[in-house]
Amino acid sequence: ETGVTQSPTHLIKTRGQQVTLRCSSQSGHNTVSWYQQALGQGPQFIFQYYREEENGRGNFPPRFSGLQFPNYSSELNVNALELDDSALYLCASVYSEGLVTDTQYFGPGTRLTVL
Amino acid sequence: GENVEQHPSTLSVQEGDSAVIKCTYSDSASNYFPWYKQELGKGPQLIIDIRSNVGEKKDQRIAVTLNKTAKHFSLHITETQPEDSAVYFCAAREGNTPLVFGKGTRLSVIA
């Protein structure tokens, strides 16, 4: 067990809807990253939050947004869902300070299906 | 930005044999190289990692080697067992930048 939890496990939505995915970081971790993993592919970086501020973003449109809370839990929000958004969404937490970043641990993921 | 290539995409070995998965990276500034194992329906699980100040690291049946000059790193699994069957991902990162993953290797260990 990594100490990183995600909810829900599975989710089915229809095109155009909005979805919120949740992540609870491992205790002591101040940085959370979200990844999208399409079937048969490696995880693709969406964005990262450090101490409640977004401090890095991958090649994803603005309809992908997030929040990190004071207790370091996090949300990923996706608006105007498209069929291609169907994927496994992973969050990963790590302790980071300055140039030092420890080992990153992943949660089990949320499987999102868009119909 | 960083680009990570991983080979092979699929690998079948007999139980007890060794398995080797190789990755190359493009950014010479990358200094952290983890390997993750992902089983069906689960998130990636870290199995071993190496930093750029080390050339090799071992943990029981698993080892990772790093060649900074050639910009490649490899995962070695010895005495493979059926429970080693999974998808393995390599990744690379510089400092506190996001991990960049390879496309994965599906390892099948045949009993």
Side-chain angles (χ1 to χ4, degrees):
Chain A
E1 294 298 325
T2 65
V4 181
T5 60
Q6 292 186 244
S7 63
T9 306
H10 296 90
L11 202 52
I12 299 175
K13 291 285 188 177
T14 56
R15 205 168 35 175
Q17 284 189 310
Q18 178 266 343
V19 69
T20 297
L21 311 181
R22 294 180 174 83
C23 171
S24 179
S25 300
Q26 188 180 104
S27 177
H29 286 182
N30 57 10
T31 302
V32 64
S33 301
W34 285 90
Y35 292 82
Q36 180 194 67
Q37 186 177 22
L39 208 58
Q41 300 293 318
Q44 296 289 314
F45 174 70
I46 302 174
F47 47 57
Q48 176 174 287
Y49 279 80
Y50 169 73
R51 297 188 186 277
E52 302 173 58
E53 297 284 335
E54 184 182 301
N55 75 338
R57 191 176 185 92
N59 190 25
F60 281 81
R63 60 189 185 83
F64 286 77
S65 63
L67 284 172
Q68 185 185 30
F69 300 101
N71 65 356
Y72 300 134
S73 65
S74 175
E75 286 181 358
L76 163 66
N77 299 290
V78 187
N79 294 321
L81 284 167
E82 300 176 359
L83 297 179
D84 284 350
D85 295 334
S86 295
L88 182 69
Y89 287 85
L90 298 161
C91 80
S93 74
V94 66
Y95 176 78
S96 180
E97 203 62 54
L99 295 177
V100 176
T101 299
D102 281 341
T103 301
Q104 190 173 58
Y105 293 97
F106 281 85
T110 293
R111 171 73 60 189
L112 173 65
T113 302
V114 182
L115 301 176
Chain B
E2 177 64 274
N3 183 54
V4 177
E5 300 280 343
Q6 183 171 347
H7 300 280
S9 56
T10 60
L11 179 61
S12 290
V13 298
Q14 293 289 330
E15 182 178 1
D17 286 350
S18 295
V20 180
I21 302 170
K22 299 182 179 181
C23 288
T24 60
Y25 60 98
S26 61
D27 187 351
S28 57
S30 289
N31 56 8
Y32 176 67
F33 308 91
W35 284 89
Y36 288 87
K37 175 184 181 182
Q38 188 172 28
E39 296 173 317
L40 199 61
K42 297 186 178 181
Q45 177 188 8
L46 180 75
I47 56 171
I48 196 167
D49 56 8
I50 192 168
R51 297 184 188 272
S52 59
N53 58 347
V54 175
E56 183 175 1
K57 184 177 178 181
K58 284 186 75 172
D59 183 3
Q60 299 181 0
R61 298 187 296 110
I62 294 173
V64 56
T65 58
L66 171 64
N67 183 327
K68 285 187 294 183
T69 303
K71 291 190 283 189
H72 66 70
F73 57 112
S74 300
L75 177 71
H76 304 253
I77 305 174
T78 58
E79 300 172 25
T80 53
Q81 302 166 2
E83 51 264 38
D84 293 329
S85 296
V87 179
Y88 291 80
F89 291 97
C90 63
R93 179 183 76 198
E94 178 209 349
N96 59 3
T97 61
L99 286 172
V100 177
F101 285 83
K103 292 191 174 181
T105 296
R106 182 172 298 280
L107 174 64
S108 299
V109 179
I110 304 164

